[in-house]
Amino acid sequence: MSKANDQLIQTLYELSQKLIPADQIKAGATQMLGIAGDLKKEIEAGNEAKVKELGPKLEDVWSTFEDGVRPRNAELYEKLEKSLNPEVAGSQKSPLDKQALSQLNDGLTQALNELLQTIK
């Protein structure tokens, strides 16, 4: 029994080392909100080159903290993924579907704001 207890403690310790701190999640979400804001302006302006540049940046930032979101709030994680993945893909299409990209960007912005409100 003692050996199993020691193994459990070790496993929990190893898992805790892999958790992404709340501050890193907040910083990443805030950075993504900035990119989403810039993206919104470029979508509205129809600036295809800038949209193609900014879209993948969302995924780059998301990848730095996404593993810390799912264990805290799986539903919100899925909500973020639902907007993010098609938005990044859509940002690479030509011509731009401004309406679809705007809706995805708004959904992503809403989900990021929710994330910031729930992370403590």
Side-chain angles (χ1 to χ4, degrees):
M1 184 71 137
S2 178
K3 184 177 179 181
N5 216 10
D6 290 343
Q7 288 175 335
L8 176 60
I9 290 170
Q10 181 62 33
T11 301
L12 289 173
Y13 175 76
E14 289 169 7
L15 282 173
S16 73
Q17 297 303 303
K18 294 179 183 178
L19 284 180
I20 295 176
D23 288 346
Q24 184 178 342
I25 294 171
K26 287 179 182 179
T30 300
Q31 188 177 0
M32 283 182 74
L33 280 170
I35 295 168
D38 292 343
L39 192 55
K40 181 177 181 129
K41 291 175 195 167
E42 300 303 336
I43 291 168
E44 289 171 357
N47 187 344
E48 204 169 302
K50 196 68 173 169
V51 170
K52 286 181 186 225
E53 175 188 325
L54 289 170
K57 287 183 179 182
L58 288 169
E59 184 62 43
D60 291 344
V61 175
W62 175 238
S63 69
T64 66
F65 71 95
E66 71 177 298
D67 290 338
V69 175
R70 181 177 267 163
R72 288 175 169 92
N73 191 329
E75 185 178 317
L76 192 50
Y77 175 89
E78 292 303 324
K79 195 175 193 180
L80 283 158
E81 284 284 321
K82 185 178 179 183
S83 293
L84 179 64
N85 290 336
E87 182 172 12
V88 172
S91 72
Q92 302 306 299
K93 300 286 184 204
S94 188
L96 293 177
D97 184 339
K98 289 169 63 171
Q99 182 179 0
L101 279 175
S102 291
Q103 288 174 344
L104 290 166
N105 196 53
D106 290 345
L108 178 63
T109 299
Q110 181 181 357
L112 287 166
N113 282 318
E114 266 184 68
L115 176 62
L116 285 173
Q117 291 173 359
T118 62
I119 296 298
K120 296 175 182 172

